[in-house]
Amino acid sequence: MLLNVENLRVSYGAIKALHGIDFQVDEGEIVCIIGANGAGKSTTLRAISRLVNADAGSKMDFMGKDLLKYQADKVVSVLGISQVPEGRRLFGNLTVTENLTLATFARKDREKIEQDLERVFALFPRLAERKWQKAATLSGGEQQMLAVGRALMSGRKLMLLDEPSMGLAPKLMMTMFDALKVINDEGTTILLVEQNARLALKFAQRGYVLENGNLVLEGKSSVLLEDPNFKKAYLGG
């Protein structure tokens, strides 16, 4: 087991965002977390990245190590967990290449950085065409490619993705998920949160469903896609 989360609780002041959820991610898997806005999906990823504090009693282990003992920067540099945040959060005044290179600041394997840079450009040829263009001038789809490329440059063990399909045209959406499948095939485990339940489950092997900070359903993607209650609630019937 790569990631094990037990009784994860997160509060924002008096507001309880997560009420004690349990889930696991095995090495090499693609796992999705599905739910409506406000369900707690993004909070779950931010808790794993240590960008928000977990409440007392929460437990998170990554490769046998207690995640709660690591600060956010060490989650990336020591553990190899990277995140593609909702909204991308790129450095708009820097070029594509500069954004990608900046993501390697904590890496020690300097000889592999150039190889990884070329791998990103191979996965996303549009970025190669725009490598000296400032990030702020890219289209929404190109910015999402850059955000994924940046995560790939910073850590390869586990990639967290927050709404990777948001704002993308259908063709670009499929290009993005095709690239993510290649990244997974090359050894990176993926945990993503998505509102597009059908797309997420076709991409992932397993899924978890969150409602109002509670885990209400879990299972193999193929089983969830055929579940009548799930189909009615999340797939429109």
Side-chain angles (χ1 to χ4, degrees), residues 171-191:
K171 185 176 180 180
L172 275 177
M173 191 184 303
M174 297 316 300
T175 298
M176 173 61 62
F177 276 84
D178 286 344
L180 290 172
K181 186 64 172 65
V182 172
I183 290 170
N184 175 251
D185 288 342
E186 292 179 348
T188 300
T189 304
I190 292 176
L191 174 64

Side-chain angles (χ1 to χ4, degrees), residues 30 33 35 55-56 95 97 111 137 160 163 171 208 216 222 225:
I30 303 174
I33 300 175
D55 293 347
T95 67
T97 301
E111 71 283 353
T137 67
L160 312 175
E163 304 284 2
K171 185 176 180 180
Y208 293 90
V216 296
S222 57
L225 284 168

Side-chain angles (χ1 to χ4, degrees), residues 7-207:
N7 194 38
L8 178 58
R9 299 173 182 272
V10 176
S11 302
Y12 297 107
I15 300 173
K16 305 295 183 183
L18 294 175
H19 300 281
I21 65 172
D22 304 331
F23 66 92
Q24 298 80 38
V25 180
D26 290 330
E27 187 170 1
E29 274 195 308
I30 303 174
V31 176
C32 64
I33 300 175
I34 297 164
N37 279 335
K41 305 187 306 298
S42 295
T43 295
T44 301
L45 295 192
R46 289 172 64 81
I48 295 168
S49 294
R50 303 293 289 125
L51 295 172
V52 298
N53 290 324
D55 293 347
S58 301
K59 181 179 178 182
M60 294 190 291
D61 292 326
F62 180 74
M63 298 181 65
K65 299 177 181 178
D66 185 356
L67 257 176
L68 296 174
K69 294 182 177 179
Y70 289 82
Q71 297 297 318
D73 62 319
K74 301 303 182 186
V75 168
V76 179
S77 63
V78 176
L79 298 181
I81 300 175
S82 58
Q83 182 166 349
V84 181
E86 183 179 357
R88 298 142 195 165
R89 300 187 185 180
L90 303 169
F91 292 97
N93 61 328
L94 299 183
T95 67
V96 167
T97 301
E98 288 169 337
N99 269 276
L100 294 172
T101 303
L102 192 61
T104 68
F105 77 97
R107 286 179 55 174
K108 304 290 192 267
D109 55 340
R110 310 309 295 179
E111 71 283 353
K112 285 194 63 181
I113 290 176
E114 191 62 34
Q115 296 175 22
D116 286 344
L117 189 62
E118 292 306 313
R119 186 69 191 115
V120 170
F121 288 146
L123 280 168
F124 301 112
R126 288 198 186 193
L127 295 183
E129 296 168 4
R130 293 156 174 77
K131 61 173 65 175
W132 304 118
Q133 193 170 321
K134 289 189 175 181
T137 67
L138 301 176
S139 70
E142 291 162 353
Q143 288 185 3
Q144 187 72 338
M145 293 174 191
L146 180 54
V148 171
R150 179 182 60 184
L152 191 61
M153 294 293 290
S154 64
R156 283 183 173 270
K157 292 190 180 79
L158 175 64
M159 185 181 292
L160 312 175
L161 296 118
D162 196 345
E163 304 284 2
S165 72
M166 183 178 290
L168 299 187
K171 185 176 180 180
L172 275 177
M173 191 184 303
M174 297 316 300
T175 298
M176 173 61 62
F177 276 84
D178 286 344
L180 290 172
K181 186 64 172 65
V182 172
I183 290 170
N184 175 251
D185 288 342
E186 292 179 348
T188 300
T189 304
I190 292 176
L191 174 64
L192 76 151
V193 303
E194 259 292 343
Q195 280 188 280
N196 189 329
R198 191 183 302 275
L199 174 65
L201 289 172
K202 285 183 177 180
F203 175 64
Q205 286 99 35
R206 294 191 299 112

